[in-house]
Amino acid sequence: SQKIEQNSEALNIQEGKTATLTCNYTNYSPAYLQWYRQDPGRGPVFLLLIRENEKEKRKERLKVTFDTTLKQSLFHITASQPADSATYLCALLSGNTPLVFGKGTRLSVIA
Amino acid sequence: ETGVTQTPRHLVMGMTNKKSLKCEQHLGHNAMYWYKQSAKKPLELMFVYNFKEQTENNSVPSRFSPECPNSSHLFLHLHTLQPEDSALYLCASSQVGSTAGELFFGEGSRLTVL
C-alpha cells in the first residue's frame, strides 16, 4: 500500500541547534515533494518544493534533500529559534493524484 | 482581502442541523480543495474542483456536499453530521499547471458536532 510517513510525531531541540525532520514514502514515484509549516489553529503554509531530479534545495535557514533511492526527504532548520516551533508537514505529488500529506512532526525549539 | 478566506472560523452544530462552510480565494487560482484535518491523522483530501468541475471525491459520505459556483468560491454543505465529523476543515487553492503546484490554505473552520 502507498504510505507517506514522518517518523517523529514530536521533536524537541535546543535553540541554536539544527533540527532535522524525516519524511519517508513507499509505493509512490513522486515528481515533487513539498514541505509546509502549520501553527496551532492555522492552515498550513508552503515552505519549499524539491523535484525528483534535485538532490538539495535551500531557502535561508532551511534545507531540503530528496533521495529517490532511499525514498526519503530530510528537512533541516539550521540555527533554530523558538519561533521555528510548529508542526511541519511533508507532501508529495505523484502522477495525476493530488498532494498526499504526512501526519506531520511537531517541532519544539527550547530557549 | 488576501489569500484564502474561510468562514466561519468556528462552528458548533447538532447532529440534525444543516450548516455551510464558505471559502473564497483572491489569488486567481483555478483549482480549489476541501481537506479534513483530525487529531493525529494526516490531512485527508475530500473534494477537488478544477475550473469549477469536481475532479475528486474521495469516498466522502453524502452528508458532506460541496458546491463550487465559480473559480473563486467553494462551499461545503453539512447535514446530519456525526460526532466523529468534528475536525478542522481546511480550504485550499492552487494554480493547476504551475510548476510547484503548491497549495494555499485558509485558516480553517473548526467544526464541533454535538
Side-chain angles (χ1 to χ4, degrees):
Chain A
S1 63
Q2 294 176 316
K3 281 195 292 188
I4 176 168
E5 290 181 328
Q6 294 186 247
N7 291 9
S8 301
E9 187 175 323
L11 179 66
N12 297 330
I13 63 161
Q14 206 70 31
E15 182 177 9
K17 302 290 186 185
T18 296
T20 299
L21 285 63
T22 305
C23 178
N24 294 294
Y25 58 91
T26 53
N27 294 324
Y28 283 108
S29 297
Y32 306 106
L33 199 141
Q34 301 180 2
W35 285 88
Y36 290 77
R37 169 182 172 143
Q38 186 174 21
D39 291 287
R42 311 290 293 271
V45 175
F46 173 78
L47 294 175
L48 275 171
L49 160 89
I50 188 164
R51 295 177 176 79
E52 60 179 336
N53 61 351
E54 296 176 318
K55 297 290 186 190
E56 182 179 298
K57 187 73 83 67
R58 291 177 186 261
K59 179 182 175 183
E60 296 171 356
R61 293 184 296 110
L62 308 180
K63 184 177 86 171
V64 172
T65 63
F66 194 7
D67 188 326
T68 53
T69 302
L70 291 178
K71 298 186 185 297
Q72 180 181 80
S73 176
L74 299 179
F75 177 81
H76 306 273
I77 306 175
T78 58
S80 58
Q81 305 164 2
D84 296 325
S85 298
T87 295
Y88 292 86
L89 308 171
C90 71
L92 56 83
L93 192 64
S94 180
N96 292 323
T97 61
L99 272 178
V100 178
F101 283 85
K103 289 184 186 179
T105 296
R106 189 174 67 253
L107 175 68
S108 297
V109 181
I110 302 159
Chain B
E1 293 281 2
T2 58
V4 180
T5 305
Q6 289 188 242
T7 54
R9 292 293 310 278
H10 300 273
L11 179 62
V12 179
M13 57 188 289
M15 290 193 286
T16 57
N17 291 160
K18 288 185 181 180
K19 297 284 184 184
S20 296
L21 306 181
K22 179 183 174 183
C23 177
E24 184 174 359
Q25 59 100 357
H26 310 274
L27 300 168
H29 289 162
N30 53 22
M32 295 187 77
Y33 309 76
W34 280 116
Y35 280 88
K36 176 183 178 182
Q37 189 173 39
S38 306
K40 302 198 184 285
K41 286 181 149 184
L43 281 168
E44 299 172 54
L45 179 64
M46 300 176 72
F47 301 104
V48 181
Y49 279 83
N50 281 350
F51 300 96
K52 300 189 301 175
E53 299 295 322
Q54 189 181 120
T55 58
E56 292 279 339
N57 175 347
N58 280 2
S59 303
V60 179
S62 59
R63 57 186 183 268
F64 295 91
S65 174
E67 178 189 359
C68 187
N70 55 61
S71 58
S72 299
H73 293 85
L74 186 65
F75 295 89
L76 188 62
H77 304 298
L78 316 170
H79 62 97
T80 58
L81 294 191
Q82 305 298 311
E84 61 264 28
D85 297 322
S86 299
L88 182 68
Y89 288 85
L90 289 160
C91 173
S93 70
S94 72
Q95 184 63 24
V96 173
S98 70
T99 304
E102 71 266 37
L103 296 178
F104 292 78
F105 285 89
E107 300 288 47
S109 293
R110 171 69 62 186
L111 174 66
T112 302
V113 181
L114 302 176

